[in-house]
Amino acid sequence: MTKRTGAHQLLDALAAQEVEFIFGYPGGAVLPIYDALYDYQKIKHILVRHEQGATHAAQGYTKVSGKPGVVLVTSGPGATNAVTGIADAMSDSLPMIVLTGQVATSGIGKDSFQEADMLGITMPITKYNYQIRAVEEIEKVVNEAFHLATTGRMGPVVIDIPKDLMAQLIELEAPQKTPVSLPNYQPNRLPNPQQIKKVLEALSQAKRPLVLVGAGVSHAHATKELRAFIQHYQLPTLTTLLGLGVVANDDPLFLGMGGMHGSYAANMALTECDLLLNFGSRFDDRLASSPSDFAPHAKIVHVDLDPAEIGKVVRVDIPLVADAKETLLALNQADQLPQMDRKDWSETLAEYKLHYPFTYEASSDQIKPQAVIETIGRLTNGEALVATDVGQHQMWVAQFYPFTSDHQLITSGGLGTMGYGIPAAIGAQIAQPDRKVVIFVGDGGFQMTNQELILLKQYQLPIKVILLNNHTLGMVHQWQHTFFSDHYSESEFEQQPNFVALAKAYGLDAFTLSDPQTVEAQLAKAFDDPNAQVIEIIIPASEEVLPMVPAGKANNQMIGVVRV
């Protein structure tokens, strides 16, 4: 036993959990922790420029590394600035530990300077939250928080930490990572064998089977098992936005992304299938905009760790509350089914893919964003870590970037958070410093978190920032055109900063592309450069993301479908 401060006890507890990085921003309530960090060698601190940036950077780190991101912010506004990122992580089931400073214990509940009730504020948007009330609790709370964040349906956990406890000196043993016992928390991972038999029986009888892949497959590290399953039974497969990459883009079985801006082939397959095997998707409204019309002819199998998701949105015929990897292992190890003749189904889907691909109208005088994304896909061999902000560019990336692997797309799914992209790309690059990282961001989202660009310079992160500038809030603009009689209410930017000059003020190389004849050569030159770059590309405001399933419509009621 040695005397140590609560802050040192906290840092050692984090180190015992193999934490390598903390994304944070200091303030009064967490000064004892930052004082302990001053000469602490086991954990590196990344100084962001806004607390929301810290949470999104931690999310990017988590999506790529598979490890929980750790955030440290001060009390009051520091903590409340982190709320958006916490909600985003909850929506996308990402493990994250958020350490929020709190006023001294004697001031809690008295409207003290920079006090905010973070337990009350974050209760609906966390998997769990704690407030430490004694230094002796630190080791136990940290161990429990990491266990909760990383098991079952993963999610963010907040630990609220009063300032005086961090400065308190007490005789304690150094923390260790120890087994956690939570009797009332026992998430099920293993599938029921009887349900596995039902799935196989349904598959043996299906004439038009279809596999749906969500983020749960990536979270379970089950890509290998999923690919083996669909290859063995030759099952056509679509993904959600967050499932992209689990099946390689060039796999003949891959139909594309389904849902609102999904492919014609994927959405028609959902409409016409007679068996839908859903691994790790929660049937959100971007995929199932009209639940009563969703997969109307299909028997539906739903594999999900969270029992609350089963039957929440669409009817389910065969539920499996289990881990996607364990379920796929069981399916792959079962007695193999005889191969059925599904030639007609395969030919129908092949025709859909051939005649209704994602497409756009080429232009000789305007740079088309889809062409930019296709070009960068070729320059990176479809292997880059791709971060996006939220909006039209996000959907174009989903449609036109040739993803090859899981944990490759870093984007905000359920919450749809503008400002996510730049800090998330930073976290991804920190997680895998040897990978090429590209971020696609619109001019709207860029202006929400562009202050984090300084981290590219400070930490020498060679990220390529592709700023697709159409001088509008693109997706809002598109909806106003399609559904609101061209009433472009506050969706067009009459004034914008000089983005290139702004990037250069952060010490970064930057330039603008506006000539479609030279864009490919200039991008190739930029991607050969080892340094970070901000590349502003002027695109037309009239360009839309199509096809589209209007809100509330069935998947086969797409608009903007083009036959080639």
Side-chain angles (χ1 to χ4, degrees), residues 35-36 92 167 215 230 269 330 354 377 395 419 422 447 453 505 527 532 537 543:
D35 188 62
D92 287 352
I230 66 171
L354 177 65
M395 294 295 102
I422 292 173
Q447 294 181 79
L453 286 175
F527 274 77
I537 303 177
E543 196 68 21

Side-chain angles (χ1 to χ4, degrees), residues 173-411:
E173 289 184 358
Q176 296 180 353
K177 183 179 181 180
T178 55
V180 172
S181 176
L182 296 171
N184 294 324
Y185 173 74
Q186 300 291 336
N188 182 60
R189 298 185 68 249
L190 300 178
N192 184 310
Q194 294 304 313
Q195 296 301 87
I196 292 293
K197 289 181 181 179
K198 289 181 182 179
V199 173
L200 292 171
E201 182 180 353
L203 183 56
S204 71
Q205 298 171 0
K207 295 180 179 179
R208 300 185 304 279
L210 182 66
V211 171
L212 168 63
V213 175
V217 175
S218 291
H219 292 333
H221 301 281
T223 294
K224 178 181 176 182
E225 291 75 16
L226 186 284
R227 290 183 178 185
F229 178 67
I230 66 171
Q231 291 298 332
H232 177 73
Y233 292 111
Q234 286 295 289
L235 300 172
T237 303
L238 74 149
T239 72
T240 64
L241 172 67
L242 298 183
L244 285 169
V246 171
V247 181
N249 194 72
D250 60 358
D251 190 318
L253 294 170
F254 183 52
L255 302 177
M257 178 180 73
M260 180 169 283
H261 291 294
S263 71
Y264 182 87
N267 282 328
M268 292 305 296
L270 282 169
T271 304
E272 297 174 2
C273 67
D274 63 1
L275 175 66
L276 179 62
L277 303 163
N278 174 3
F279 296 95
S281 162
R282 58 187 177 85
F283 289 124
D284 78 289
D285 61 288
R286 301 294 92 171
L287 177 75
S289 186
S290 176
S292 61
D293 298 315
F294 184 79
H297 310 294
K299 178 176 287 188
I300 296 178
V301 176
H302 191 180
V303 180
D304 202 293
L305 268 174
D306 187 353
E309 293 297 339
I310 305 291
K312 185 173 80 173
V313 177
V314 302
R315 59 176 178 80
V316 174
D317 300 287
I318 305 177
L320 270 149
V321 179
D323 175 80
K325 185 168 187 171
E326 295 291 347
T327 302
L328 285 160
L329 283 169
L331 290 169
N332 290 339
Q333 291 167 2
D335 292 337
Q336 295 180 352
L337 301 176
Q339 294 293 341
M340 287 189 63
D341 180 8
R342 301 186 179 110
K343 183 179 178 182
D344 290 346
W345 180 231
S346 298
E347 289 180 350
T348 296
L349 298 180
E351 286 290 307
Y352 290 157
K353 286 181 67 175
L354 177 65
H355 293 297
Y356 300 95
F358 290 125
T359 188
Y360 59 95
E361 188 175 337
S363 173
S364 60
D365 58 356
Q366 293 178 317
I367 299 176
K368 292 301 183 82
Q370 303 94 327
V372 170
I373 294 162
E374 286 180 327
T375 298
I376 292 173
R378 290 192 298 271
L379 291 172
T380 58
N381 297 314
E383 297 173 350
L385 295 176
V386 179
T388 82
D389 211 87
V390 168
Q392 285 181 313
H393 66 277
Q394 179 190 34
M395 294 295 102
W396 285 319
V397 167
Q399 292 178 343
F400 289 95
Y401 190 87
F403 293 99
T404 58
S405 61
D406 58 9
H407 297 95
Q408 187 181 359
L409 174 62
I410 303 114
T411 196

